[in-house]
């Protein structure tokens, strides 16, 4: 599964646009990766984001799992480049720090804070919350960078 989320930022206001999950289908890894790419490409074409952000690859205990995660991430990156969107990457700890205020936050805390920050009433699945969390992290970083640039002028 590959979660995705789109937000809109107007100065300091953030608005939820859409989110969902792409479910891989097919008998083998190549077919499943292609299905993820096609689904996300459809999302990107429909919603035309100005930029995209993805989670940096992390290494866990299962080397094969890490490799598959990296391949799914590549499918997402390729889908975002089809829209000519700028691409940014954030480590999971950076996202958790930006959303919860603690880099070691758990998934439930991230889900809860994403819902609060975007004023969402319906519960989010973990993959959706992660994707929206990455979007919120980027919005936070973008705002901080703009303020810093203004302060140094």
């Amino acid at each position: 599964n590959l979660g995705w989320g789109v937000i809109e930022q107007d100065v300091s206001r953030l608005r939820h646009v859409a989110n969902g999950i792409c479910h891989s289908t097919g008998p083998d890894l190549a077919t499943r990766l292609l299905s993820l790419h096609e689904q996300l490409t459809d999302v990107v074409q429909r919603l035309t984001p100005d930029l995209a952000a993805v989670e940096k690859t992390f290494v866990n205990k299962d080397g094969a799992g890490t490799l598959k995660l990296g391949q799914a991430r590549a499918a997402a990156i390729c889908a975002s480049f089809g829209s000519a969107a700028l691409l940014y990457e954030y480590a999971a700890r950076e996202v958790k720090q930006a959303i919860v205020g603690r880099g070691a936050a758990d998934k439930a805390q991230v889900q809860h804070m994403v819902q609060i920050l975007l004023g969402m009433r319906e519960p989010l699945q973990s993959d959706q919350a992660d994707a929206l969390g990455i979007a919120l992290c980027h919005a936070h970083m973008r705002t901080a960078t703009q303020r810093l640039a203004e302060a140094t002028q």
Side-chain angles (χ1 to χ4, degrees):
N1 293 331
L2 186 131
W4 60 269
V6 178
I7 62 171
E8 185 174 83
Q9 183 178 20
D10 181 25
V11 187
S12 63
R13 294 185 84 154
L14 298 170
R15 184 180 71 82
H16 173 257
V17 174
N19 62 274
I21 298 176
C22 300
H23 300 281
S24 66
T25 58
D28 57 32
L29 180 61
T31 306
R32 290 191 302 273
L33 290 171
L34 179 60
S35 76
L36 290 176
H37 178 268
E38 289 171 343
Q39 291 172 64
L40 196 55
T41 296
D42 179 61
V43 169
V44 169
Q45 288 174 346
R46 280 187 292 113
L47 299 174
T48 62
D50 295 328
L51 43 92
V54 297
E55 186 175 82
K56 287 182 180 178
T57 302
F58 61 91
V59 178
N60 58 25
K61 296 176 185 175
D62 176 19
T66 301
L67 183 58
K68 288 177 186 174
L69 180 64
Q71 291 167 327
R73 183 177 170 277
I77 289 170
C78 290
S80 70
F81 276 121
S83 71
L86 297 173
L87 182 74
Y88 298 86
E89 299 175 88
Y90 297 96
R93 290 186 71 81
E94 288 176 288
V95 175
K96 292 173 182 179
Q97 180 69 38
I99 303 306
V100 179
R102 196 168 64 88
D106 64 32
K107 286 197 172 284
Q109 291 171 310
V110 173
Q111 285 173 291
H112 181 71
M113 284 305 298
V114 166
Q115 283 182 255
I116 289 172
L117 291 170
L118 292 175
M120 300 175 75
R121 294 183 182 183
E122 68 279 356
L124 290 167
Q125 291 185 1
S126 179
D127 294 326
Q128 295 167 317
D130 288 348
L132 288 167
I134 294 166
L136 288 166
C137 175
H138 178 71
H140 172 74
M141 297 300 242
R142 184 176 176 187
T143 300
T145 302
Q146 288 172 345
R147 287 183 182 159
L148 181 61
E150 291 169 3
T152 58
Q153 289 181 350

